[in-house]
Amino acid sequence: MTVARYFDEMSYGPAPEADTEARQWLARHKGEFGHFINGAFVAPSSGKTFETFEPATGALLAKVALGSAKDVDDAVAAARKAQGSWAKLPGHARARHLYALARTIQRHARLIAVVEAIDNGKPIRETRDIDVPLAARHFYHHAGWAQLQETEFADQVPVGVVGQVIPWNFPFLMLAWKVAPALALGNTVILKPAEFTPLTALLFAELAAAAGLPAGVLNVVTGEGETGALIVEHSDIDKIAFTGSTEVGRLIREKTAGTGKSLTLELGGKSPFIVFDDADIDGAVEGVVDAIWFNQGQVCCAGSRLLVQEGVAPLFYERLTRRMQSLRVGHPLDKAIDMAAIVAPVQLQRIESLVAKGVAEGAKLHQPKIELPKGGSFYPPTLLTNVQPTSIVATEEIFGPVAVSMTFRTPEEAIQLANHSRYGLAASVWSETIGLALNVAAKLAAGVVWVNATNLFDAAAGFGGKRESGFGREGGREGCYEYLKPKAWAGRKLRAAPAEPVLKQATGDFAAPSLDRTAKLFIGGKQARPDGNYSRAVLSPKGKVIGEVGEGNRKDIRNAVVAAHAASGWASATSHNRAQILYYIAENLSGRADEFANRISAMTGVSAAGAKAEVEASISRLFSYGAWADKYEGVVHQPPLRGVALAMPESIGVVGVICPTEAPLLGFISLVAPLIATGNRVVAVPSEQHPLAATDFYSILETSDVPAGVVNIVTGSAMELAKTLASHNDVDALWAFGTQELSTVVEKLSAGNLKRTFVDYGKATDWFDRFAAEGQAYLRRATDVKNIWIPYGE
Ligand code: NAI
């Protein structure tokens, strides 16, 4: 290029960042890395390594240890040994360690940014200005939570030893998102970086040790998917935190089912980017650049589905394609480029093949006529228009710089299109009309919504998805809870199997046939006969038939789920309204306390006083959730960016509840009340052995203004009905309290649509203990926090 041409084009020349220090660091390690276990680099026990390449050139960067079962064992042993003393440190001491890590990241910011850019292929501009500063911010923020742990999380204890498996798209930032909260709150970690990008994790481990982090607190085991699987399946790990593809997330859900490991999954997305005709069009065009060409589109929350209002679509596409022409694709270390390399040839091929399929299905391809660097894995910024909502490119995560676009006419249609996805990670809404933007934001099925912005992140604002984008949150107070568990649950013991009464045919009973006392099911606010027309006898402890209930089946559950969906208005009822209804239920129960106490006594054999105490505790619990209904609220985050983020707890949706056999009334209320207090609709299966307290409850619900479909009750076999609920794709969460086997089945079958589960692994809860059986631990599981970022102030 000649100087004259530069003047002509007014385009930037190359501005390369030096990589001397990064290359020296690699050379110091002779281009070969072991695992980082117990405070030092150790060679892989199998002697096996794998190679990591520079995506921009294809050149070999380093050889890295391939983690075997023995390596994972060693890392887990080191983490286990360190965990006790790490957790016992005063929060202030851990806060100082986290602070030291934040300072270390800042002191070595450029080295980390360069190593990241060459190992991942992303532009230095992004690693330097986004990934590394945000990672430091994460450690600062969580140093604060460590400092406040004793007072702010006094009722919680650390989970223990945590296995963390992370992807390659933000290798260093994802490390920070995972490691900072885990360590801050007293856990120790085995981290496995992705095979394409292991280097910054190893660099960080080395820097952390130099900054005085005690040995064993953070261990890095490198390897491929098999190494990740070894971590997931290790029996001495208490929690798995995973970010990556939905396929692997689903596999991990299945593998951890029933093990008691806690689990958070941050998975894929196909996030909508909605442009209304009153949007600032140029702003929205720049938004698309940040939404889908940032990090070459290899972003789980990338705004990859453009939904543009019809009237403005031609103008929008014209400006967008013009803007695409000015994007520069170049070497990651060139400071003057917009996009750099795709992480690996296999990812490049995946992008190419998906785009080809989209075009074959009728999409129109727009790519700028720009030069791509030779040698490495590069792909141009791409827009596909004329895309059908069912096209593979509109439903599959491409994970590349490819935006697909559709048009819509009305806000309702935009919402429908936006929510037409198995994912629910993020969304971006562009409109200059505040009422429209916020109305739409509230209706989007997404964990994060950006108004007139995109891809904003902060350590104080939780991040995570709904639906098949996974569960759990990273960042903020809600992210801290993912690494803690309630103290009150610590002493729970396996519950004894309930004694099965044997049916005694007391011949005399036949002499006086009583009225038909078969309780029906309760579906959509009405009593309904069970589809199969079977009933089951309810026996007293002495084996006497004291009633009959319907034997619910698959069809009954399906009907109940339909009814529960139809009652979606409950989610938008005011919290004052929900509170009033919970108090009203309590009042009506109180009016019939003796009758319910007698029933409990007859079913369970518990003394009259014991039964009365259960009814009283149930009334009190209903009051508690009436109280919480208008007090379990969100917060407003003030991130160090323009704007605020509203963190709003939202109902999860339709939730199945398998009630424990014991405490037939109190167990039922303890699980159903927090769910309806927060706007969920419930399909409850009452105590299998003692269901009559719940079936008697129909009339209380009918007289307490509970809208039809908010609470549905299906009696029958807990295991069979749990299986149906767990494999039902329109059930969003399943709570199941019973046997260990029930927990395993529920967690495993819930992998299908990745529904949220809350199970007890057969450990009995003391339902009378308010600390163990009531409160925020339940409300948190009944809600998902949605963060809505809105412009605010200058
Ligand atoms: P992946 O989900 O296979 O890899 C993520 C991490 O999981 C890596 O550390 C990998 O070694 C590990 N892993 C793989 N199999 C495992 C197993 N069975 N058990 C435990 N850990 C395992 O993602 P991959 O193959 O690198 O990318 C494929 C596609 O996944 C991408 O094209 C993209 O669509 C999606 N993806 C989404 C991400 C997100 O943040 N949502 C991140 C990375 C990939």
Side-chain angles (χ1 to χ4, degrees), residues 406-425:
M406 284 156 267
T407 57
F408 66 87
R409 288 187 180 164
T410 61
E412 292 67 37
E413 198 192 342
I415 293 164
Q416 210 177 15
L417 276 173
N419 290 343
H420 178 75
S421 169
R422 62 195 174 109
Y423 297 114
L425 192 49

Side-chain angles (χ1 to χ4, degrees), residues 256-440:
T256 53
T259 61
K261 284 191 182 100
S262 93
L263 178 64
T264 44
L265 297 175
E266 204 272 272
L267 309 174
K270 192 78 191 175
S271 299
F273 184 105
I274 309 170
V275 185
F276 285 100
D277 58 9
D278 63 352
D280 164 2
I281 296 297
D282 292 325
V285 165
E286 273 323 296
V288 176
V289 174
D290 288 338
I292 190 67
W293 296 314
F294 165 56
N295 199 20
Q296 296 69 247
Q298 302 167 129
V299 181
C300 51
C301 52
S304 51
R305 269 190 306 147
L306 305 187
L307 305 176
V308 187
Q309 197 155 14
E310 216 170 71
V312 80
L315 175 69
F316 185 76
Y317 293 145
E318 187 208 313
R319 296 215 190 150
L320 184 58
T321 44
R322 197 192 310 153
R323 178 69 177 92
M324 285 165 75
Q325 192 55 46
S326 66
L327 291 170
R328 297 167 51 112
V329 181
H331 192 277
L333 291 184
D334 181 348
K335 285 176 276 194
I337 51 124
D338 298 292
M339 280 170 53
I342 303 295
V343 73
V346 55
Q347 283 299 122
L348 181 62
Q349 282 150 22
R350 183 186 146 86
I351 298 165
E352 286 167 347
S353 107
L354 277 167
V355 169
K357 280 185 195 157
V359 171
E361 285 182 17
K364 182 159 186 257
L365 178 73
H366 307 261
Q367 284 175 336
K369 291 181 191 59
I370 53 175
E371 227 175 286
L372 296 182
K374 303 275 174 298
S377 302
F378 292 92
Y379 196 82
T382 299
L383 169 69
L384 293 173
T385 53
N386 197 26
V387 171
Q388 298 304 313
T390 50
S391 163
I392 187 163
V393 286
T395 55
E396 283 285 309
E397 187 176 35
I398 300 177
F399 228 60
V402 183
V404 305
S405 193
M406 284 156 267
T407 57
F408 66 87
R409 288 187 180 164
T410 61
E412 292 67 37
E413 198 192 342
I415 293 164
Q416 210 177 15
L417 276 173
N419 290 343
H420 178 75
S421 169
R422 62 195 174 109
Y423 297 114
L425 192 49
S428 182
V429 183
W430 295 76
S431 165
E432 290 298 294
T433 309
I434 183 171
L436 175 65
L438 296 184
N439 178 13
V440 171

Side-chain angles (χ1 to χ4, degrees), residues 521 530-531 534 550-554 556-557 714-717 721:
L521 314 179
D531 166 74
Y534 282 101
E551 183 75 56
N553 67 12
R554 183 172 287 270
D556 299 312
I557 291 287
V714 179
T715 47
S717 153
L721 299 176

Side-chain angles (χ1 to χ4, degrees), residues 29-299:
H29 286 275
K30 304 193 171 51
E32 190 153 341
F33 292 86
H35 306 297
F36 196 87
I37 297 177
N38 208 21
F41 280 106
V42 293
S45 60
S46 65
K48 288 191 189 147
T49 57
F50 66 98
E51 294 170 330
T52 181
F53 298 92
E54 214 168 317
T57 60
L60 176 68
L61 261 179
K63 287 185 174 168
V64 183
L66 189 68
S68 63
K70 164 86 171 63
D71 300 329
V72 172
D73 276 349
D74 290 349
V76 174
R80 178 60 67 195
K81 187 154 164 273
Q83 202 263 326
S85 39
W86 179 247
K88 274 197 207 83
L89 282 181
H92 175 63
R94 272 201 309 283
R96 292 179 73 138
H97 276 296
L98 271 280
Y99 178 78
L101 294 176
R103 294 284 300 124
T104 296
I105 292 171
Q106 286 183 319
R107 278 204 310 278
H108 298 280
R110 199 50 71 94
L111 173 62
I112 300 170
V114 174
V115 173
E116 188 81 323
I118 49 185
D119 197 18
N120 170 280
K122 60 167 74 188
I124 180 76
R125 204 167 48 82
E126 291 178 9
T127 60
R128 183 196 61 194
D129 298 345
I130 297 170
D131 301 42
V132 176
L134 267 178
R137 159 102 182 112
H138 237 77
F139 278 93
Y140 278 124
H141 180 79
H142 286 92
W145 283 124
Q147 175 71 24
L148 301 177
Q149 184 172 6
E150 283 111 350
T151 52
E152 290 301 301
F153 299 109
D155 59 341
Q156 304 284 315
V157 289
V159 172
V161 171
V162 182
Q164 303 181 322
V165 179
I166 57 173
W168 41 260
N169 53 343
F170 292 92
F172 190 66
L173 186 57
M174 285 305 106
L175 172 151
W177 281 25
K178 295 267 180 300
V179 170
L183 299 194
L185 298 157
N187 306 277
T188 53
V189 165
I190 299 100
L191 175 93
K192 193 200 84 66
E195 49 271 47
F196 295 139
T197 54
L199 294 181
T200 44
L202 295 165
L203 171 58
F204 179 71
E206 184 181 313
L207 293 171
L213 191 70
V217 169
L218 170 66
N219 306 277
V220 178
V221 175
T222 46
E224 299 175 348
E226 291 80 50
T227 310
L230 288 168
I231 294 175
V232 166
E233 288 171 48
H234 200 285
S235 61
D236 199 27
I237 287 183
D238 303 301
K239 179 192 167 79
I240 297 295
F242 172 78
T243 299
S245 60
T246 295
E247 289 63 37
V248 174
R250 190 170 280 125
L251 208 65
I252 293 178
R253 169 67 294 181
E254 284 172 2
K255 286 275 193 289
T256 53
T259 61
K261 284 191 182 100
S262 93
L263 178 64
T264 44
L265 297 175
E266 204 272 272
L267 309 174
K270 192 78 191 175
S271 299
F273 184 105
I274 309 170
V275 185
F276 285 100
D277 58 9
D278 63 352
D280 164 2
I281 296 297
D282 292 325
V285 165
E286 273 323 296
V288 176
V289 174
D290 288 338
I292 190 67
W293 296 314
F294 165 56
N295 199 20
Q296 296 69 247
Q298 302 167 129
V299 181

